[in-house]
Amino acid sequence: MLSAWITGLLTGLSLIVVIGVQNGLVLRQGLRREHVWLVVAVCALGDLVLIAAGTAGMGAIAQAHPAILRAMSWLGAGYLLWQAVKSFQSAARASALKAGEPPSRDAVLRTVLGVTWLNPHVYLDTVVMLGSVAASHGDLRWWFSAGAMSASLLWFGSLGFGARALSGPLGRPSVWRVVDVGIGIVMMLVAIQLIVRG
């Protein structure tokens, strides 16, 4: 049991600890010290639901209907390009970490829900990939799944609240511009990848 949990933890971390759209948003909100609890909770809860769905067998259904993933790819690409433009605009006009009016709780919630549920990579990683690996553990698949879920909770919590703790030294305008530009580039690259594969 413990070995399946550890395998799930390490597999989950290997998939989630990459510079991606979700991580960029969590990092950004942590550095801004705005709605960090909300962003971390939505990202982690989304992962928990999707990992459970994959473990329960939804990964096989997703693989059997590739048209659904193709449609999600196009929708996700459009959303990510729009978010990339917003990041570049923010970098162009930012004079400090909290430049301009801070986004409302509802605006942040809409953004994090979009980044979580409109990103096909999230489904491929959590539902298809982790679901397939979980299935290979047979009766211990839910222990593997619990390990992967622990990885999500650990990572998003550490990233969001770690960024919030470091927001003072990293709050200079030059650092913030680099963060915004970096997030925009990652979103654009993921969107292009989705379009090419779609």
Side-chain angles (χ1 to χ4, degrees):
M1 285 187 277
L2 181 59
S3 135
W5 183 86
I6 291 171
T7 303
L9 177 73
L10 296 176
T11 305
L13 285 172
S14 72
L15 291 173
I16 199 171
V17 182
V18 292
I19 299 299
V21 178
Q22 262 189 327
N23 288 340
L25 179 64
V26 175
L27 177 65
R28 184 176 204 277
Q29 291 305 127
L31 289 173
R32 288 181 66 102
R33 300 176 67 89
E34 294 171 355
H35 312 293
V36 181
W37 274 104
L38 175 68
V39 172
V40 168
V42 170
C43 289
L45 184 59
D47 261 17
L48 299 185
V49 168
L50 291 169
I51 291 168
T55 304
M58 293 300 292
I61 294 172
Q63 285 179 316
H65 300 284
I68 294 172
L69 287 177
R70 259 195 312 278
M72 286 297 299
S73 291
W74 284 98
L75 185 61
Y79 183 79
L80 292 175
L81 286 173
W82 177 62
Q83 288 295 322
V85 168
K86 286 176 63 177
S87 285
F88 292 138
Q89 288 173 338
S90 178
R93 70 174 178 264
S95 59
L97 182 60
K98 293 200 173 195
E101 194 68 26
S104 69
R105 180 185 172 91
D106 287 345
V108 170
L109 179 60
R110 283 192 300 273
T111 301
V112 72
L113 286 172
V115 164
T116 299
W117 296 100
L118 294 178
N119 182 356
H121 282 275
V122 173
Y123 293 92
L124 292 172
D125 287 348
T126 56
V127 178
V128 177
M129 174 72 77
L130 286 175
S132 300
V133 179
S136 73
H137 283 76
D139 292 340
L140 296 177
R141 68 186 181 278
W142 286 105
W143 283 99
F144 173 89
S145 178
M149 290 176 181
S150 300
S152 291
L153 293 170
L154 178 67
W155 174 251
F156 285 124
S158 298
L159 182 62
F161 296 110
R164 186 171 76 173
L166 293 172
S167 65
L170 297 178
R172 296 187 308 275
S174 58
V175 172
W176 190 237
R177 284 193 180 92
V178 170
V179 169
D180 269 334
V181 169
I183 290 170
I185 289 171
V186 168
M187 288 182 176
M188 266 185 45
L189 291 175
V190 172
I192 290 167
Q193 185 182 43
L194 291 175
I195 291 167
V196 170
R197 288 185 179 176

